[in-house]
Amino acid sequence: MPENNVQRSPLLEEFRTRQNRGRKFELHDVLGSVVEFSSDQHGSRFIQEKLTSASDEDLQLIFDEIYPKANALMTDVFGNYVIQKLIENGTDEMRSKLVESMRNQIHSLSLSTYGCRVVQRALDYVEPEERLNIADELRDQIIPCVRDQNANHVIQKILERVSPTSQIDYIPQAFRGNVYSLAAHCYSCRVLQRIFEFCDKAQSRPLLEELLEDADRLMRDQYGNYVIQWILSKAGRNEKDRIIRLAKGNILRLSKHKFASNVVESIIAAASEEDRYHFIEEIMLEKPIAAVVMMRDQYGNYVLQRFLELAEGQQKQKLVMLIKPVLNNLKRSSSGYTKHLVAIERLLDTTTTRNNAATMTNNPSHSNAGMSSYQ
């Protein structure tokens, strides 16, 4: 009996059996059963492969058979892939018909695990006017969609594919007054990043200002920290500096936080040389020495590693001399000597090796000795 009590036609049973025995099926062998094949794991894969290289005549035959059942296939676990292939490989007329069949159903399809994939594929391939029609059906459902595990991907795709974004201004408008809660949400935080990436300044600037007002809280948020990191990576210098200023005097506190520690690493990378110098000076302060506390902290140690990688010259030597005795004591006691401390020790050893090599290179006696030996 077929698995999961699925009733299959004799043709599909024969296909599943004989495919494993080397028999080659062609499209003309399954005509009349294309919809059933599309809903079957193995049959769907077969139809997808054939659609990629089908002749115009065969493509039309498959489309004509699938089209009446297209909506059901769009939300089917295997059928949705066949619809996506038709969108990719079909004619403009076929794509338009499929989009027309989706009319007034974009919202329900976007909420569907499989339907949302079809909507996204359509947005990649249809004409600009059709993209706008798809987007417009979600106009009054933006907030529920960006919070949905499936529909948020559709909104992201709309932002990526519709240009100019002034045509979909209702998306960034829906975020106004809601930036903190949406930035701190596991799905809508992704959409907010796409708004910053694709919308023009007139649309994104108010949202960015709203975000920066809550930057300190968002640094420490499970999802908001990703939005702050995006700003540090992609935004303008002024926006980056506003976040960097929030970290001054707070490096130890933020570095010991599970989520904010990731932001601090991004801050270190985005900071100017001058700001980075002051941050390193900050972690070498006494009572207690922040660098030592960070070294032993499960999150702060990663931040300290970034500082060790980017510190330079005498300041780096000072930081190494501050940490190394404490690290050696921990190693001797073997108490709490974790893999994180091993990573820090390697960085210290690398720094020591480079410093020794630099000293030898700059010492004339060593240089002359090397030349004599070579001659």
Side-chain angles (χ1 to χ4, degrees):
M1 180 177 290
E3 68 265 19
N4 299 326
N5 297 318
V6 176
Q7 297 300 314
R8 303 190 186 99
S9 68
L11 178 62
L12 182 54
E13 284 290 0
E14 181 185 3
F15 168 81
R16 290 171 63 97
T17 302
R18 294 199 178 187
Q19 280 287 94
N20 294 330
R21 297 177 182 174
R23 177 184 166 180
K24 295 294 183 182
F25 275 72
E26 298 299 334
L27 278 177
H28 61 79
D29 295 318
V30 302
L31 290 177
S33 300
V34 172
V35 172
E36 182 191 20
F37 271 62
S38 297
S39 299
D40 175 81
Q41 180 179 4
H42 302 283
S44 172
R45 189 177 297 117
F46 169 77
I47 299 295
Q48 291 173 62
E49 290 172 356
K50 295 302 180 183
L51 282 171
T52 303
S53 57
S55 65
D56 292 344
E57 182 181 356
D58 284 343
L59 188 63
Q60 189 64 55
L61 287 171
I62 293 174
F63 179 82
D64 290 343
E65 194 169 329
I66 282 178
Y67 181 65
K69 300 291 185 181
N71 289 90
L73 290 174
M74 287 177 188
T75 55
D76 182 79
V77 59
F78 304 120
N80 80 91
Y81 294 109
V82 173
I83 300 297
Q84 289 185 64
K85 280 294 179 183
L86 272 176
I87 291 171
E88 291 176 24
N89 297 282
T91 62
D92 289 342
E93 182 182 1
M94 291 175 186
R95 280 192 281 270
S96 293
K97 283 187 174 182
L98 287 170
V99 170
E100 181 61 30
S101 74
M102 296 159 63
R103 185 183 290 275
N104 299 322
Q105 298 183 63
I106 297 298
H107 183 227
S108 61
L109 286 169
S110 297
L111 297 175
S112 163
T113 302
Y114 308 113
C116 75
R117 301 174 187 178
V118 175
V119 178
Q120 289 174 77
R121 186 66 70 233
L123 287 164
D124 277 331
Y125 283 89
V126 299
E127 295 298 316
E129 184 178 349
E130 291 170 318
R131 286 194 188 111
L132 285 177
N133 290 337
I134 290 172
D136 196 56
E137 286 198 31
L138 301 176
R139 177 188 290 267
D140 298 325
Q141 300 291 334
I142 298 302
I143 296 300
C145 282
V146 300
R147 289 178 176 273
D148 182 79
Q149 63 179 331
N150 300 312
N152 83 87
H153 295 289
V154 174
I155 303 298
Q156 288 185 65
K157 182 64 71 173
I158 290 170
L159 288 162
E160 292 170 15
R161 301 299 296 176
V162 174
S163 180
T165 54
S166 57
Q167 300 174 100
I168 50 168
D169 190 54
Y170 49 84
I171 296 178
Q173 286 289 346
F175 274 70
R176 288 201 179 192
N178 299 298
V179 169
Y180 174 78
S181 62
L182 294 173
H185 189 275
C186 57
Y187 303 128
S188 55
C189 69
R190 305 171 187 173
V191 182
L192 183 58
Q193 291 174 63
R194 298 291 84 74
I195 289 174
F196 291 145
E197 185 174 358
F198 292 104
C199 288
D200 60 41
K201 288 185 178 180
Q203 294 173 305
S204 62
R205 188 73 210 179
L207 305 184
L208 187 55
E209 287 296 328
E210 197 176 325
L211 177 89
L212 291 170
E213 289 296 319
D214 275 310
D216 185 63
R217 280 202 297 167
L218 288 169
M219 284 184 193
R220 292 173 279 122
D221 183 80
Q222 182 177 3
Y223 303 108
N225 82 90
Y226 292 112
V227 184
I228 299 298
Q229 288 187 70
W230 190 94
I231 300 298
L232 287 163
S233 173
K234 302 288 180 64
R237 188 71 252 170
N238 288 339
E239 289 72 35
K240 291 179 181 179
D241 285 343
R242 284 177 66 176
I243 295 171
I244 289 168
R245 284 197 294 271
L246 289 174
K248 291 180 177 179
N250 294 302
I251 287 292
L252 178 58
R253 175 178 67 88
L254 294 172
S255 297
K256 292 171 65 180
H257 191 279
K258 181 176 182 180
F259 306 120
S261 61
N262 296 316
V263 176
V264 177
E265 289 190 58
S266 295
I267 285 172
I268 294 168
S272 65
E273 288 186 13
E274 181 181 358
D275 282 333
R276 195 179 299 136
Y277 178 89
H278 288 301
F279 282 138
I280 295 172
E281 289 296 306
E282 180 181 330
I283 68 169
M284 291 193 291
L285 293 175
E286 298 181 1
K287 298 180 183 179
I289 298 174
V292 174
V293 176
M294 291 163 63
M295 180 178 66
R296 303 184 68 170
D297 185 79
Q298 60 179 326
Y299 306 119
N301 78 89
Y302 292 108
V303 178
L304 180 60
Q305 289 180 53
R306 297 291 83 76
F307 278 129
L308 284 167
E309 289 170 350
L310 295 172
E312 296 179 343
Q314 292 184 346
Q315 190 186 45
K316 185 166 189 172
Q317 293 180 36
K318 182 180 176 183
L319 181 59
V320 169
M321 291 174 65
L322 194 65
I323 295 169
K324 199 157 191 176
V326 181
L327 187 67
N328 288 337
N329 287 337
L330 286 171
K331 189 175 181 180
R332 279 194 293 271
S333 68
S334 74
S335 175
Y337 195 70
T338 64
K339 63 180 181 180
H340 309 308
L341 294 179
V342 172
I344 290 173
E345 184 180 26
R346 287 173 182 162
L347 283 169
L348 296 181
D349 289 343
T350 301
T351 299
T352 302
T353 301
R354 286 176 181 170
N355 288 341
N356 289 340
T359 301
M360 291 181 67
T361 302
N362 294 327
N363 188 318
S365 62
H366 284 291
S367 179
N368 291 335
M371 289 175 65
S372 299
S373 174
Y374 177 76
Q375 291 171 347

